[in-house]
Amino acid sequence: MPKSTRYLFVMGGVLSGLGKGIAVSSIARVLQGMGYRASAMKIDPYVNVDAGTMNPTEHGEVFVTKDGLETDQDIGNYERFLQIELSRDSYMTTGQVYLSVIRRERNLEYRGKTVRPVPDIPNEVIRRIKRAAQVTRAELMIIEIGGTVGEYENLLFLEAARMMHLQDPTAVQFLLVSYLPIPSKLGEMKTKPTQHAVRALNAAGIHPDFVLCRAERPIDQPRRERISVFCNVHPDDVVSAPDVTSVYEVPLNFERQGLGQKILNKFLLAPRRRDLRAWRALLQRVGRFRRGVRIGMVGKYFSTGAFTLSDSYLSVIESIKHAAWAIGVRPEISWLDAESFERNRRNLKLLERYDGLIVPGGFGARGVEGKISAIEYARRHHLPYFGLCYGLQLAVVEFARHVLKLKRAHTTEIDPRTPHPVIDMLAEQRAKLKARDFGGTMRLGEYRCRLVPGSLAYQSYGQPQVFERHRHRYEVTNRYRAALERAGLQASGVNPDRNLVEVMELKQHPFFLGVQFHPEFKSYPLAPHPLFKRFVQAAIHRQRS
Ligand code: GLN
């Protein structure tokens, strides 16, 4: 164990959306493969305290940590690549930083001093970085600074990075993720924007140790030299990062260029081992699968603005991939617009083409009736169905309406006056909403769930008790539970501490299962989630028969 943690700051230049999160995850994965305890953390420059209040079409998926912080999808990437679970300490926003400094000022903790943006804000940032390193016991901590250099909003974070370097230059390195465009009229890769980005970084008092060149193609020798000369980095430290088909290839690409070794060298550390074997073997296998499995995802967060549906449901998509790969099939995921089933019920016929159907988490009324119709189709046609959170709640609504014949049964989220509130708000949530206390107040994070022996859920997990992450305000109403169960919808997973339904499943069906939690937050390329695996198996089974 090195005496103290080493820190690598990763920032972006030229433009956003370069896959900085994947770069950070991949660097950490490579270093982990070299025998070091590597961890990653994210700094988001927005003023929101967490990502929970943001629309997924604007900021992508909201990822929930084990201890219940609503973060952005990069934390999910770090967890998936490193196969670890992070806590709220690994995520910080401008809002959080200011909130703690202001709180401390109000508590007189600055003892009458003037509290200034510099150095008090960077000092709080540094305190948080060090705490995250401590909590994760990281030997190597990779810190992703959101946004691009030169923007006003991440200046104080760059300032913190610079100050950490000043305190101990041997323990801090910087890596700039840049972009090299190839204008179609020229057909030639251009380095000038990267030169400007490095200048902007220099202006913040930071000199990059590495420049990572995102581009459509690998960087060639002349351009590598140009970046080296103009940006003042060694040509060997100009790293090529061309587009790839799967994000999981990125660590292998970095390993081929010896990036992990180069980072360790600069920290005067020696590799302890070299082991990306299982990872490489998985990727080799993945390229060879011939049979596909067709999974339909019914959603409403369709492409708007900068984000697409795949960003809104990133963890679900990755979980399907992990499960399919473990089984040896190629995942073919399609987006089905819930509202299209409302416009025309004949569109439901299209569901025939799929081997399995997922209704993922969601909020609000738009598309709800369409989702319910799709669930009804899956139930009646023995199409494997997997409901995640809202997908469980709407399956219960569907079942109550069409099997129990409870007319206008609904969730009170959509119809507060329904005669049959089969899904209703958790008791403690009412007071919170009344006080307009919305931020970070859902039932969040990990809770335990006890599984009923013999159930599909129990069989899939192969254990009587599991811990899964939550993000919801509504819940199955216990007073309907007996009736639902009598008609065949079994509550096969329950939180024993509060007697809350966590899993429901249909007995006379190959796979019809809904979960109140989000299993997609605990799936890894080399360790798929057992429920996703079972679901994909059921989908394959249907395809064969
Ligand atoms: N809107 C539902 C609730 O608040 C479901 C939430 C979700 O799917 N994450 O309970």
Side-chain angles (χ1 to χ4, degrees):
M1 179 100 174
K3 282 193 297 299
S4 58
T5 308
R6 312 294 212 272
Y7 300 90
L8 174 69
F9 285 92
V10 175
M11 30 255 162
V14 180
L15 44 96
S16 61
L18 290 178
K20 224 185 318 150
I22 296 298
V24 166
S25 308
S26 302
I27 293 169
R29 183 67 189 80
V30 166
L31 293 169
Q32 187 189 54
M34 299 179 95
Y36 281 86
R37 213 183 145 82
S39 195
M41 66 183 297
K42 169 99 191 254
I43 297 177
D44 257 333
Y46 48 67
V47 180
N48 303 55
V49 172
D50 57 43
T53 53
M54 284 185 273
N55 186 330
T57 50
E58 194 151 314
H59 191 72
E61 168 188 273
V62 176
F63 187 85
V64 181
T65 59
K66 181 186 167 115
D67 59 346
L69 185 72
E70 296 167 287
T71 71
D72 93 332
Q73 51 190 4
D74 282 322
I75 300 295
N77 286 323
Y78 306 159
E79 290 200 354
R80 278 188 285 274
F81 276 68
L82 295 173
Q83 209 172 317
I84 54 172
E85 291 190 82
L86 296 170
S87 69
R88 59 180 62 237
D89 299 294
S90 300
Y91 185 66
M92 113 174 66
T93 68
T94 296
Q96 284 174 24
V97 172
Y98 271 90
L99 209 55
S100 25
V101 170
I102 291 170
R103 256 188 216 133
R104 219 170 296 137
E105 184 274 328
R106 295 284 81 183
N107 296 343
L108 296 183
E109 282 177 52
Y110 290 95
R111 302 173 184 282
K113 255 182 43 200
T114 311
V115 184
R116 297 183 186 280
V118 183
D120 295 299
I121 296 298
N123 276 340
E124 169 62 15
V125 174
I126 293 171
R127 198 184 63 78
R128 283 168 174 261
I129 291 172
K130 293 196 168 159
R131 191 179 57 199
Q134 206 178 19
V135 168
T136 56
R137 294 189 292 116
E139 296 176 286
L140 296 162
M141 174 59 95
I142 326 292
I143 305 133
E144 176 179 356
I145 302 186
T148 34
V149 295
E151 286 170 340
Y152 167 79
E153 48 175 35
N154 59 21
L155 259 184
L156 290 176
F157 297 113
L158 295 182
E159 193 66 0
R162 183 189 64 76
M163 284 161 63
M164 275 185 79
H165 182 260
L166 180 68
Q167 285 159 13
D168 186 356
T170 62
V172 176
Q173 289 179 42
F174 304 104
L175 181 146
L176 179 77
V177 178
S178 191
Y179 181 65
L180 285 83
I182 306 173
S184 58
K185 287 276 183 311
L186 298 175
E188 182 194 328
M189 192 183 272
K190 305 304 278 181
T191 64
K192 192 72 82 202
T194 299
Q195 298 176 32
H196 283 296
V198 170
R199 293 267 144 77
L201 199 55
N202 291 160
I206 292 174
H207 187 70
D209 293 277
F210 297 95
V211 175
L212 197 134
C213 301
R214 287 281 299 111
E216 274 169 43
R217 298 201 295 260
I219 188 168
D220 59 8
Q221 198 53 27
R223 265 142 279 257
R224 183 185 294 276
E225 278 158 20
R226 194 164 307 154
I227 290 184
S228 165
V229 171
F230 288 102
C231 302
N232 195 28
V233 286
H234 194 279
D236 286 348
D237 297 336
V238 177
V239 184
S240 181
D243 290 347
V244 283
T245 41
S246 162
V247 295
Y248 299 114
E249 287 171 30
V250 178
L252 301 176
N253 174 28
F254 290 170
E255 198 203 27
R256 265 193 302 276
Q257 298 180 64
L259 179 58
Q261 179 70 59
K262 289 172 190 170
I263 293 170
L264 290 186
N265 283 349
K266 286 186 203 263
F267 282 135
L268 304 177
L269 299 173
R272 294 175 181 150
R273 59 182 164 84
R274 234 171 259 275
D275 194 7
L276 278 181
R277 256 175 307 160
W279 194 275
R280 191 174 308 112
L282 174 72
L283 276 141
Q284 278 163 358
R285 251 162 46 82
V286 163
R288 292 195 220 112
F289 298 144
R290 286 221 305 281
R291 177 194 283 271
V293 63
R294 293 157 305 186
I295 306 294
M297 288 236 305
V298 187
K300 72 163 181 180
Y301 298 121
F302 276 82
S303 155
T304 30
F307 282 90
T308 59
L309 189 69
S310 53
D311 280 300
S312 314
Y313 301 118
L314 186 67
S315 294
V316 181
I317 294 163
E318 295 308 306
S319 302
I320 298 170
K321 288 186 196 165
H322 304 158
W325 293 344
I327 294 166
V329 293
R330 194 165 24 79
E332 292 167 16
I333 304 164
S334 310
W335 323 122
L336 309 174
D337 180 1
E339 286 170 293
S340 75
F341 301 129
E342 294 172 8
R343 279 192 294 273
N344 188 347
R345 277 189 68 87
R346 268 202 298 256
N347 286 332
L348 286 166
K349 196 81 182 91
L350 298 175
L351 292 176
E352 224 172 51
R353 292 189 206 153
Y354 297 97
D355 306 318
L357 192 72
I358 290 184
V359 172
F363 296 84
R366 190 156 61 84
V368 154
E369 291 303 326
K371 290 180 189 176
I372 293 173
S373 304
I375 296 169
E376 181 184 10
Y377 179 97
R379 182 176 59 78
R380 290 189 194 277
H381 293 81
H382 289 93
L383 175 64
Y385 172 72
F386 194 13
L388 309 173
C389 202
Y390 217 14
L392 159 77
Q393 298 176 356
L394 297 178
V396 172
V397 170
E398 189 280 318
F399 195 83
R401 284 185 190 173
H402 303 127
V403 180
L404 299 185
K405 306 286 179 210
L406 301 177
K407 260 210 200 113
R408 288 183 43 227
H410 220 320
T411 160
T412 55
E413 176 175 355
I414 308 305
D415 181 4
R417 274 195 272 278
T418 168
H420 302 290
V422 287
I423 306 293
D424 200 5
M425 195 180 279
L426 285 158
E428 79 277 8
Q429 291 292 332
R430 284 178 213 287
K432 291 180 188 170
L433 295 199
K434 213 159 166 199
R436 301 194 59 76
D437 183 10
F438 296 115
T441 58
M442 286 189 230
R443 180 169 178 249
L444 289 168
E446 195 170 84
Y447 290 98
R448 67 180 171 144
C449 167
R450 198 163 287 157
L451 303 167
V452 174
S455 64
L456 181 60
Y458 187 108
Q459 285 169 23
S460 311
Y461 280 104
Q463 58 193 72
Q465 178 165 285
V466 293
F467 289 83
E468 293 283 5
R469 301 186 199 167
H470 298 71
R471 181 171 187 251
H472 64 123
R473 291 191 205 278
Y474 295 82
E475 176 64 47
V476 175
T477 307
N478 276 333
R479 118 179 95 86
Y480 289 94
R481 209 153 112 188
L484 291 166
E485 293 210 314
R486 249 180 277 122
L489 191 62
Q490 183 192 16
S492 56
V494 173
N495 170 265
D497 307 300
R498 293 181 57 189
N499 189 25
L500 298 176
V501 170
E502 296 280 6
V503 189
M504 294 209 88
E505 60 185 74
L506 201 55
K507 288 197 199 117
Q508 309 301 335
H509 195 286
F511 188 106
F512 188 99
L513 183 141
V515 288
Q516 185 54 75
F517 47 77
H518 293 272
E520 69 270 25
F521 295 150
K522 286 175 78 172
S523 175
Y524 312 92
L526 294 170
H529 191 284
L531 289 179
F532 275 93
K533 201 165 160 196
R534 192 65 181 236
F535 165 68
V536 173
Q537 267 159 351
I540 291 291
H541 192 79
R542 174 185 166 92
Q543 194 186 65
R544 291 217 173 101
S545 58

